Structure formats: C-alpha cells, structure tokens
Amino acid sequence: VKTYINVELDDEKHFLIGFEKIVYHNRSNSRFDSIAIHLWPNAYKNSSTELAKQKYEDGSNQFKYAIDKDLGFIDSLDFNVNGGKVEWNYLDGKIDICVIYLKKPLKKGDSITITTPFRVKIPSGRFSRLGHIGQSYQITQWCPKPADYDKDGWQPMSYLDKGECKSEFGDYDVIITGPKNYVVMVTED
C-alpha cells in the first residue's frame, strides 16, 4: 500500500482536515469485491464503541460522562476508486471500520487508487493515544487505512486502548500543515 496524505491542523477547533490517496495492490491469491477500511478516530465518538466498552470493563466511565467537545470522530468521507464514487457502509455496525464496495473486482496482482477527503475531530488526550491536551497533540491511528488481508481473509479490528493495531504494511508520503509555532515530531511504527 502506498499512501499520500495532505493534512492541515486546525488548533483552535482541534481538527485535522485532509485528503488521502491510497494505491492498493492486491498481493493475495484472492479476488476482492470489497475492501475493509479502518476508521479508528470513530472509536472516540460515543460510549457504544469497542474502545468505550473496553474502558468500561477496566472500570472507567470516561466515555459515559464525556461532553461532546471532548469526543472525537472522523467524517467528511467520500470514497472514490479509480476516479469513480463507490458505496460504503460500516462493518457490522462498528463505526470504526467500514467496507468499500468495488464496482469491478480487484484481481490478484492488480492495483486500484482509493481517494477520499476526511476530517478528524481530535478528542481529549485523557482517553487514549489519539488526542490533545490544550495545544499539545498526540496524533496516532488518525487516517483511513485498509485492514490487513491474510490467509484467513480480511482482518478488520476495532481500535482498542490495549492491544496491537494490525494493518496492511504501507509506505506513507504525508504533508502536514500547521501553525508556525508548532514543531512536528514523527516516529516509525
């Protein structure tokens, strides 16, 4: 997967506004009629997500009593494949995973280009790894990205505070625009 992202930080409203282009190459022996996409910022959207449920199990009511301005989400999605609009839905009612439906099957060895604008409301940093405390931002798992596909098929997984985040290996080219007084630091995972 080769991904190009152009994103801007609005540090007054705590939003990332961006556009993403994913060049997805089918390296499997299967033919794809759809692709699972992680939308992990939606894990911070309400008290019904898998992340919120995990927090409840650990004795935290953070999501239950959170005010809207502290929650996060991803929206403004408009998926296109090779320049044509495609249908998509959340997977099994989980708002942090979606499935895009291809108009033409993606055969073994072939590639497609998936594009979408997106907007991420950055949640409070008190919930998990994606968040802000004042004007300090920790940005992780913030953009739409394909789920991993292995010998057992698609491996879509909800974002959780504990555990690993399994995704398709990728090469990212990211342009970040922000206020002049910010310093951007990056780690490789």
Side-chain angles (χ1 to χ4, degrees):
V1 177
K2 175 69 177 172
T3 302
Y4 304 88
I5 302 172
N6 194 331
V7 67
E8 183 173 350
L9 171 65
D10 176 340
D11 70 330
E12 291 180 13
K13 296 181 181 173
H14 309 296
F15 275 98
L16 293 172
I17 298 110
F19 186 84
E20 181 174 32
K21 178 173 107 173
I22 302 166
V23 179
Y24 187 88
H25 188 81
N26 183 357
R27 299 185 196 292
S28 77
N29 289 321
S30 300
R31 185 182 92 158
F32 300 149
D33 295 319
S34 62
I35 296 177
I37 304 284
H38 290 139
L39 303 174
W40 285 335
N42 273 346
Y44 301 86
K45 191 170 186 174
N46 61 45
S47 61
S48 298
T49 67
E50 297 303 309
L51 174 61
K53 291 174 188 174
Q54 183 186 55
K55 292 285 193 180
Y56 294 151
E57 289 173 9
D58 290 344
S60 172
N61 287 323
Q62 290 176 311
F63 280 98
K64 184 174 183 178
Y65 298 110
I67 56 177
D68 284 347
K69 77 174 190 70
D70 287 342
L71 297 173
F73 55 81
I74 187 168
D75 68 6
S76 303
L77 299 164
D78 185 20
F79 290 105
N80 283 262
V81 172
N82 295 335
K85 187 174 178 78
V86 293
E87 297 293 321
W88 66 277
N89 288 314
Y90 293 117
L91 178 66
D92 298 328
K94 295 180 181 177
I95 62 173
D96 60 349
I97 306 167
C98 79
V99 176
I100 61 172
Y101 301 98
L102 306 178
K103 291 182 179 179
K104 182 175 129 183
L106 180 61
K107 298 176 191 169
K108 172 185 174 181
D110 286 350
S111 296
I112 57 172
T113 300
I114 303 166
T115 60
T116 187
F118 64 93
R119 185 177 74 143
V120 173
K121 167 65 173 70
I122 304 166
S124 167
R126 65 188 176 101
F127 297 121
S128 188
R129 295 175 285 220
L130 169 64
H132 73 93
I133 297 176
Q135 301 319 118
S136 174
Y137 293 89
Q138 295 72 46
I139 307 299
T140 181
Q141 309 298 347
W142 55 278
C143 59
K145 59 184 177 177
D148 187 40
Y149 187 90
D150 63 20
K151 63 181 177 52
D152 297 319
W154 288 108
Q155 300 300 313
M157 53 192 299
S158 288
Y159 177 82
L160 298 173
D161 195 39
K162 295 178 184 174
E164 293 300 316
C165 300
K166 183 179 180 187
S167 293
E168 188 75 31
F169 175 78
D171 181 10
Y172 289 82
D173 186 351
V174 181
I175 297 172
I176 303 168
T177 304
K180 290 182 180 181
N181 61 323
Y182 279 78
V183 174
V184 176
M185 298 178 2
V186 178
T187 63
E188 293 182 36
D189 276 338

